[in-house]
Amino acid sequence: MTPKNYYIIDFDSTFTQVEALDEMAKISLKNHPQKEEILKQIEDYTNLAMEGKLSFTESLAARVRLLNANQDHLKQLITRLKKKVSASFSRNAEFFRNHADEVLIVSGGFKEFITPVVSQYHIKKENIYANTFVTNEEGQIIDYDHDNPLSEEGGKVKLLQGMKLDGNVYGIGDGYSDFQLRESGLIKKFFAFTENIARDSIVSRADHVTPSFDEFLYVNNLPSAISYPKNRILCLVIGDVPELSINMLKRDGFSVRHKADFEEKYVADVHMVLLAADERIDHEKLKRANKLKTIGHLGKAKSLDLTACTEMGIVVFDNPRNNPRSSSFIPQRMIDFMNTGATYLSVNFPNLQLPRMEKSHRLIHIHQNIPGIMAQINTIFAAHDINIVGQFLMTNAQIGYAITDINAEYDKELFKSLKQIEQTIKFRVLY
C-alpha cells in the first residue's frame, strides 16, 4: 500500500507574509511613546529565534511580555492577517480542500489568530497545532500556556515525536524550528520557503529551496493552480533599465537577472527579455534563444529582427513614441502576456486581450497561418476527451495565435499531440 503523505506547514512568514506577533505589536503599541523602540526589540527577538541564535522559549516569552495586547487588538490582527496570506498559498486553496486530512499547520504562533486565518482554506481545526494565550478578566493578554510543547525550545520536534505520523512527512517553513524537524529525522524533506523572507542560515541547510508554494507542488508532482512556477521563469533585464521596471517583474514572481548585455550563458534558458531603450539583441543569439517567449523594448523595436521573432513565436512590445511611462507600461504588457496570454499592443502578434478563466488551464498554440490548423487542434482535443471552457483565435499574415481554456483534469499526452502538429511554432501551458 502506498504510504500516506503529510505536509507540515509553518504559519508566520510562510502561510502568511508577516510575523503575526510583530503585526500585533504594531496594533497594540500604536499610541505608545516608545513604540518604535519596542517594535525593534520584538523584531530582533523574532529573528534571533528564527535563525537559531536564541532559544524559542526565551524569544516567545520576551515578545509576549512586550506586546501589551488585548482581545480587541487580537480581532484587529485577525482582520489584517486574512489580507496577508502568502500569494502562492492563496491561489492554491483547492489543494488544501483536496488534502484536508494531510495538511497540518504547526507553529510557534497562537491558535487564537492562526485558526481564523487558515480555516478559510479548508484546513481542519484539529490539524492546527500552536500555542494559546492566557488572558485576564479584562481581556488583556498576560501570558501563554507554558505546558504546551510548542512554547518550548525544540517544541515542533517534541510535538511530532508524540504524534508518530505513519507515512512520508514533508516540512515547509522559513525558520530554525522548521529545520529542526529535518535535523531530528522526523520529516523526509525540509523545504525552505523564501517567498517572504530568505534566511541564509536556513536556506543553506534545506533539502530544497521553494520560493513559492507552487514550486513545492511542482517538484512533488502535486496538483497546482498554475502549471509552472514563476520562479523558474528566467527574465533577463539588459542595460540601463529603471528600477521600477525591474521591481515590477520581481514582484510578479519571475526570476530576474539584470545584466549589462545578453551573456551567452543565458541564451539557452531565458524566457523573457527586457531591453533598455538603446539596447538590441544580436540576431545569432536570438535564433538560439529557443525558450524565449517575449521581448519588451523600452525604445523602438526597429533594432530587433521582428521577422525572426515572429517566426520563433516571440511576442514583442515596444515604445515607438518614446512614452515616458514605458518603464511601467512595457513590463506590464510582458507580465500580462505571461500571465494571461494577452498580446494587446504587441508589435508583431495579433492583438488579443483575454479574461482569466477560473478552474481551468490555458493552452497557447502559436502556428504558421495556414488553413486547417484549428481543425487539427480541436480533433486532438476531441480524441483526448477534453472539455473546452473557452477558445480564442487571431491571425495575421504570418501566424495564428490560438488560446484554449480547458478543464484542469486532462491526460498529459495531450501536450505531446499538440506539439506534433506540423506547423507548430510554440506551445505552452499558461496556468
Side-chain angles (χ1 to χ4, degrees), residues 58-70:
E58 292 174 282
S59 169
L60 183 63
R63 284 180 287 162
V64 171
R65 187 173 61 249
L66 290 167
L67 276 177
N68 192 31
N70 58 39

Side-chain angles (χ1 to χ4, degrees), residues 115-399:
T115 301
V117 176
V118 303
S119 293
Q120 300 176 110
Y121 292 85
H122 321 290
I123 292 170
K124 295 181 175 181
K125 291 182 179 179
E126 59 266 33
N127 285 354
I128 300 169
Y129 298 87
N131 285 299
T132 54
F133 287 122
V134 174
T135 58
N136 61 20
E137 292 179 357
E138 288 76 38
Q140 192 78 16
I141 295 172
I142 57 172
D143 205 351
Y144 60 89
D145 178 10
H146 291 257
D147 292 331
N148 188 324
L150 288 169
S151 70
E152 303 169 9
E153 173 61 23
K156 291 186 179 183
V157 171
K158 294 172 185 175
L159 177 75
L160 258 69
Q161 284 174 336
M163 292 174 71
K164 295 182 170 57
L165 296 175
D166 185 18
N168 297 318
V169 185
Y170 300 91
I172 310 164
D174 66 286
Y176 182 67
S177 63
D178 304 301
F179 165 71
Q180 283 180 316
L181 293 174
R182 181 69 174 92
E183 193 175 37
S184 68
L186 288 167
I187 61 176
K188 186 174 182 179
K189 283 187 178 180
F190 167 58
F191 292 79
F193 188 80
T194 60
E195 183 171 328
N196 305 307
I197 187 169
R199 307 180 196 276
D200 292 339
S201 60
I202 307 306
V203 166
S204 63
R205 300 171 174 182
D207 293 298
H208 189 90
V209 177
T210 177
S212 67
F213 192 55
D214 309 299
E215 171 75 7
F216 173 81
L217 297 174
Y218 180 79
V219 298
N220 288 294
N221 198 29
L222 293 164
S224 172
I226 59 177
S227 61
Y228 194 70
K230 285 188 183 180
N231 55 274
R232 289 178 175 243
I233 297 176
L234 174 61
C235 178
L236 190 61
V237 177
I238 299 174
D240 187 16
V241 171
E243 281 298 313
L244 170 64
S245 305
I246 297 169
N247 289 335
M248 286 178 67
L249 294 161
K250 285 182 177 178
R251 276 197 305 270
D252 211 65
F254 302 112
S255 179
V256 178
R257 303 286 187 276
H258 189 190
K259 299 294 177 180
D261 53 41
F262 194 178
E263 296 177 14
E264 180 63 38
K265 65 180 179 179
Y266 294 113
V267 172
D269 297 315
V270 67
H271 299 88
M272 307 165 67
V273 171
L274 176 61
L275 298 167
D278 57 348
E279 296 289 340
R280 61 186 296 276
I281 296 180
D282 176 75
H283 176 78
E284 184 270 334
K285 285 184 177 178
L286 177 67
K287 293 294 285 185
R288 289 188 288 110
N290 293 319
K291 293 182 180 179
L292 187 54
K293 294 170 177 63
T294 183
I295 298 173
H297 203 302
L298 296 182
K300 297 178 182 179
K302 63 182 182 180
S303 62
L304 295 173
D305 186 340
L306 289 178
T307 300
C309 287
T310 305
E311 289 174 350
M312 294 175 68
I314 301 168
V315 180
V316 179
F317 302 96
D318 77 343
N319 179 32
R321 295 185 179 87
N322 293 316
N323 187 334
R325 295 176 59 193
S326 67
S327 58
S328 60
F329 177 79
I330 300 301
Q332 190 60 55
R333 296 280 70 77
M334 298 169 68
I335 290 167
D336 289 346
F337 170 69
M338 295 300 292
N339 288 346
T340 71
T343 55
Y344 179 60
L345 296 181
S346 161
V347 181
N348 64 328
F349 258 57
N351 275 214
L352 190 59
Q353 294 192 73
L354 298 160
R356 182 177 179 120
M357 303 291 284
E358 296 299 324
K359 297 182 180 179
S360 66
H361 279 193
R362 177 163 287 175
L363 313 183
I364 292 183
H365 193 275
I366 302 169
H367 52 267
Q368 297 167 16
N369 185 15
I370 66 170
I373 299 294
M374 283 307 297
Q376 291 186 58
I377 291 173
N378 287 331
T379 297
I380 290 170
F381 286 140
H384 287 268
D385 296 320
I386 299 299
N387 181 33
I388 295 176
V389 179
Q391 195 166 50
F392 312 86
L393 171 68
M394 288 195 76
T395 64
N396 62 21
Q398 291 176 277
I399 60 168

